Amino acid sequence: MENVLYASVVATDPAGDDLLTTYEDYTVITFVRDPLSRFYSQYDEVFLRYGPWMKGKEGWAWKRMKNYTHPHQYLYENMTEWQDYQDAFCPPDAVPNPVRDPQRWCSRQPTRENGTLANRFEQFVWNYDGIRPFDLVSNVVWICFYTL
């Protein structure tokens, strides 16, 4: 932003009161992300973070995952390990031999998804009410908001 707009990011008062005082001589620009793009991105992140393959992770951040039951379990049907998930969008026969790190190689290739993940996503879109989030961060914010 500094190089293109000759501008900088500045934190403001959540109420916006300082826009009329401290920053009254400034031009304020807001970038809004396309909601559909954000939805896809958030779905992808949560899908990975809440996959059954995460139950084996150690540390405080993963403690909740040990006994977590996903509200949309059909998303992970027949996928218990990372390799099962990777095989859905990057089948083993698509990976050239030899490749030192197949997971990294696959993450940098166009998907060869066979429709399994797309069908599950479509079912999720029909089933999800859009009100109660199922990822940890959004869920905590939602609970705090509705219990105030």
Side-chain angles (χ1 to χ4, degrees), residues 15 33 45 79 103 118 122 126 146:
R33 186 172 178 187
E45 178 186 345
M79 291 184 191
Q103 183 176 343
E122 189 171 313
W126 283 105
Y146 283 100

Side-chain angles (χ1 to χ4, degrees), residues 127-147:
N127 293 342
Y128 182 54
D129 63 10
I131 296 171
R132 179 154 182 129
F134 62 85
D135 75 281
L136 180 60
V137 175
S138 298
N139 201 24
V140 169
V141 171
W142 186 85
I143 290 169
C144 291
F145 179 76
Y146 283 100
T147 55

